[in-house]
Amino acid sequence: MYKFPGQGDHKFFVWRTLPYGYTRAPYIARALMKPLVAKWRALGICTVVFYDDGMAVGDDKILLLRNSLQMQCDLIRAGLIPGVNKCVWMPVQQVDWNGFCFNLKESCISILDKRISSTLSSIDDIKKSWPKITFRDLSRTIGKIVSMQPVFQGITQIRTKMLQTFLAIRGYKNLSWDDIISADFAPLFTKAYQELGFWQTFLLTKNFRAIKLKKVDWIVWTDASDYAIAGFGAKLLSPSINKPITADNLMLVDGKIQKAGHHRVSLQVDEIPWAYKRFVEVRDAFDLDPQNISMTAITHRNLENHERIMSSTERELLAALHFLNSMLRHTTGQTLTLHMDSQNAVNILTSGSNKPRLNDYAVLYSQICLANNITVTPVWIPRTLNNIADFLSKTVDYDDFSITDDFFQEVCKDFGMLPTFDRFATDKNNKTVKFNSPYYCPFSSGVDAFNYDWSLTELIGYFAQYV
């Protein structure tokens, strides 16, 4: 509202649109509120302002009520009249603000039902007319999804990358917003349509995010070299919000770095790496404390020929996914901090990639986390702080070989038996459903065959390793 003083009665004018095409109104609103926000925060008021909408929180109802009165007085003194019907000045534990529902009693945030209904309606309209839709309609739907980022976080970017590619094509070809979407890459239409189907289900089932930070259960490091991928994880005895960024002390034995064995790393994956050692040195506060660890795990496998020609970023993504798949039995329902020395890989896992091949890794990563209720926070660290994973990834497992399936069947036929357990295998070369592996890997029944009792099974096909 604006007031013109003059002779006679004062008049108020309400602008239904930006006056005279003045498009800098949001910038002006922010500039007007900035000094007030600075004052409130200096007074210890926890407040946030989005242009002309604001919210304050606190853990004491009486103190919050005083803060509310202070903010009202400051707004009026600044010449800004709060909307009487819109504002909520009495402390409440649940409030709808900017399209989100903040439920402080349950410590969660969700999207308002009307926004969910509007987005689902837009998706339905697009799917019915697919692919004969305009760039404008597609952009409107993508905007609705991406604006839900405070609840769905990075998945709003990961699962709309193919849809956003159409908008990039429009800009590259200088097409009109009212033109029908087009692309030279035919599979793009299929992948984009799948993203629309994903959001139809996801919006109804996952409209919830906890406000409180989860305490970290696992600290993980992964890395990839030209010929292997590896990961090292440590489960904490007492989960904490504090996140160590290195595990170099685990490499130190009497002040010296442990060396690799002839065939594989000497660390025992089913035992604490420093077991039977005199001491392990804790160098600084950023290093992992061995006294706060209940379990450690190593994942490792040699790269296949077609994987060795992949880019370094793709191999880093492969290492992260390999660790997640290998440790599902131990990490389901828990929180992990994943350290990587590739900024590109961290960005892809966080917000996806415009390249379909790399974005597939981010999609698979999000699917694993959602299906197993795992919360993973990718974190970039310099290569110099990723010593253990780097050390493991540069180790070649020379025992990683296998006999052919035909030869295996011939031997089974000659011996007149069918093995039920492969004691020396990986998920890449196992001959039976149950198998032991030298490191943690997907579907493994246990790590290191010599840690288990062999008498509980029938004749074992251990010849697969030594024939």
Side-chain angles (χ1 to χ4, degrees), residues 81-99:
I81 302 176
V84 178
N85 296 328
K86 289 183 59 178
C87 297
V88 180
W89 295 109
M90 297 299 296
V92 293
Q93 289 188 303
Q94 180 172 328
V95 64
D96 296 340
W97 186 65
N98 277 351

Side-chain angles (χ1 to χ4, degrees), residues 53-281:
D53 289 326
M55 180 173 63
V57 297
D59 54 6
D60 186 289
K61 186 175 181 178
I62 297 177
L63 180 60
L64 189 58
L65 184 58
R66 292 176 181 174
N67 293 339
S68 173
L69 294 173
Q70 177 68 49
M71 296 173 72
Q72 291 182 63
C73 294
D74 290 338
L75 287 170
I76 294 173
R77 289 171 182 171
L80 303 173
I81 302 176
V84 178
N85 296 328
K86 289 183 59 178
C87 297
V88 180
W89 295 109
M90 297 299 296
V92 293
Q93 289 188 303
Q94 180 172 328
V95 64
D96 296 340
W97 186 65
N98 277 351
F100 299 96
C101 176
F102 291 84
N103 189 337
L104 302 182
K105 186 176 182 180
E106 301 293 336
S107 296
C108 68
I109 177 177
S110 60
I111 301 165
L112 296 181
D113 291 339
K114 62 180 181 180
R115 289 189 62 190
I116 295 291
S117 300
S118 175
T119 305
L120 289 175
S121 177
S122 297
I123 294 175
D124 289 338
D125 293 340
I126 287 180
K127 292 188 69 175
K128 289 177 182 178
S129 304
W130 188 267
K132 296 182 179 180
I133 59 172
T134 64
F135 289 106
R136 188 183 304 278
D137 292 336
L138 183 61
S139 175
R140 185 181 295 113
T141 302
I142 294 174
K144 291 180 179 180
I145 296 174
V146 173
S147 67
M148 299 176 182
Q149 189 270 343
V151 173
F152 299 134
Q153 299 183 303
I155 200 168
T156 58
Q157 292 288 339
I158 295 174
R159 301 309 294 264
T160 58
K161 281 297 182 182
M162 299 302 103
L163 293 170
Q164 292 184 46
T165 302
F166 284 107
L167 303 185
I169 292 173
R170 187 209 68 83
Y172 179 76
K173 294 184 177 181
N174 196 25
L175 301 175
S176 170
W177 282 105
D178 295 316
D179 288 342
I180 301 298
I181 61 172
S182 61
D184 298 330
F185 183 60
L188 181 61
F189 289 93
T190 302
K191 289 181 176 292
Y193 189 81
Q194 291 173 350
E195 289 183 343
L196 292 172
F198 166 81
W199 285 107
Q200 274 186 313
T201 304
F202 188 78
L203 288 176
L204 295 174
T205 58
K206 302 294 183 180
N207 185 16
F208 171 90
R209 183 174 75 86
I211 296 177
K212 291 183 178 179
L213 292 175
K214 293 183 178 180
K215 293 185 177 181
V216 178
D217 300 294
W218 281 83
I219 309 291
V220 181
W221 295 262
T222 62
D223 201 6
S225 65
D226 293 337
Y227 37 80
I229 56 176
F232 176 81
K235 185 176 182 180
L236 304 182
L237 278 172
S238 55
S240 172
I241 295 180
N242 297 325
K243 306 179 184 67
I245 60 174
T246 65
D248 292 347
N249 50 22
L250 305 187
M251 298 290 288
L252 300 176
V253 178
D254 297 338
K256 299 180 180 179
I257 296 180
Q258 298 184 49
K259 301 298 182 181
H262 177 65
H263 294 301
R264 58 171 67 93
V265 176
S266 59
L267 298 180
Q268 296 297 314
V269 293
D270 264 0
E271 298 177 357
I272 296 178
W274 54 87
Y276 314 114
K277 307 300 181 182
R278 283 188 291 175
F279 68 90
V280 176
E281 179 183 355

Side-chain angles (χ1 to χ4, degrees), residues 364-382:
L364 181 58
Y365 158 83
S366 64
Q367 289 175 341
I368 294 173
C369 293
L370 289 172
N372 297 277
N373 192 27
I374 301 174
T375 302
V376 182
T377 304
V379 177
W380 175 82
I381 56 173

